[in-house]
Amino acid sequence: MAKLLKFDFTTADEKKAFVDSCEAEFEAMLDEAVAKVMARRELHIITLSGPTCSGKTTTARKLIDELTAAGRDVHVISIDDFYYDRKFLDERAARLGIAVDFDSVDTIDLEALSECVSAIVRGEDVNVPHYNFKSGTRVKGRLIDVKEESVFIFEGIQAIYPEVTALFKGLDTVSIHISVAEDAICNGKLFEKRDIRFFRRLVRDYKFRGASVDFTFFLWKSVCANEDAHILPYMDSADIKLSSLMGYELAMIKKPLMDTLATVDSGSEIYGKVCQIKQAFDKIPELSQSLLPQFSVYREFLG
């Protein structure tokens, strides 16, 4: 089902009111999800999953704030921190004649992750590693003192993979999945939900991760293949499902997206696709990023 986005604002006050109303709608949805989690007073484990550029960071922060305010001892554990060392992954990939795919569950040390979960269940202090992406190594992280009031949020795109969810089978857990759950229609133009996340990633990775548009286009093929195989078939199994589609976002991302796409040379293999994106945004008005609240979910992508 597609969501109809209408940009019929004209004055500065109308623009601000529109953004604020979209933010309030999203916050209400998050509040409802948090309330469901808070009602489970004996709950100790939460899994938070979602495909790339879905809004997991903001959702995790909201959970942390609310649970901490309620007196819970909250810890976020990134499943990314359980990656095998890059040297091991490179050597294994070379033997198999394939490239390393960091979205694959095969890159996760499931045994180490299982030991971490088991220690938490037993109420024992647990050593959580940290993965240094610069060096490609899993290094010493932090020691967590597991208390009766402790809550652990296992966060990552892999949190919904069946190989990972199997580690929590039989335990009292709540699973949360966030994504752009709807397509959007604006000025008669359909914007598919996956494309909306792609726009977010193009801007985010160019601004904050030094990735060229060409490189993000190249990676997107494997990202989509992994989602089709390991995320989309299982997303309905989550206890709580959230959508991060913001009613203002196509107007908000237009300028930074156009600026990002302008870096693509006309001789690039993707130039034709870039022109198609530009054309799709042609009649969409612009909204200034200055209208975003400080802790908006959309700052994950625009800064």
Side-chain angles (χ1 to χ4, degrees), residues 44 124 156 219-220 274:
H44 292 286
E124 301 174 355
L219 286 183
W220 194 245
V274 166

Side-chain angles (χ1 to χ4, degrees), residues 112-252:
L113 180 59
S114 178
E115 290 175 358
C116 175
V117 174
S118 297
I120 290 171
V121 172
R122 293 192 300 266
E124 301 174 355
D125 292 353
V126 59
N127 282 294
V128 179
H130 171 69
Y131 194 84
N132 186 322
F133 279 90
K134 186 174 181 179
S135 64
T137 57
R138 194 167 63 201
V139 298
K140 184 178 180 180
R142 65 195 191 278
L143 177 67
I144 298 177
D145 178 15
V146 180
K147 305 173 182 176
E148 185 176 350
E149 66 273 18
S150 294
V151 176
F152 294 85
I153 302 173
F154 285 85
E155 179 271 333
I157 64 170
Q158 313 93 334
I160 204 168
Y161 292 3
E163 297 89 344
V164 174
T165 58
L167 303 180
F168 303 100
K169 188 175 182 179
L171 304 179
D172 186 13
T173 66
V174 166
S175 57
I176 301 174
H177 184 81
I178 184 167
S179 66
V180 175
E182 312 105 320
D183 298 329
I185 296 177
C186 183
N187 294 328
K189 176 68 178 178
L190 176 67
F191 293 84
E192 295 185 356
K193 50 194 174 185
R194 179 176 273 171
D195 288 338
I196 292 171
R197 286 191 295 108
F198 184 49
F199 302 151
R200 294 175 175 182
R201 181 152 176 171
L202 282 167
V203 173
R204 184 201 68 182
D205 285 10
Y206 179 76
K207 291 182 68 174
F208 307 116
R209 302 190 178 186
S212 68
V213 174
D214 293 77
F215 185 66
T216 302
F217 261 89
F218 169 75
L219 286 183
W220 194 245
K221 295 178 182 179
S222 63
V223 168
C224 293
N226 180 70
E227 291 177 359
D228 290 340
H230 300 115
I231 297 179
L232 299 184
Y234 307 105
M235 57 186 294
D236 287 338
S237 65
D239 299 315
I240 300 173
K241 293 180 281 292
L242 306 172
S243 177
S244 64
L245 175 64
M246 306 301 287
Y248 58 71
E249 76 169 271
L250 293 178
M252 184 76 71

Side-chain angles (χ1 to χ4, degrees), residues 283-295:
K283 295 182 179 180
I284 294 178
E286 292 181 10
L287 277 174
S288 171
Q289 183 180 333
S290 65
L291 296 172
L292 276 183
Q294 182 179 0
F295 296 110

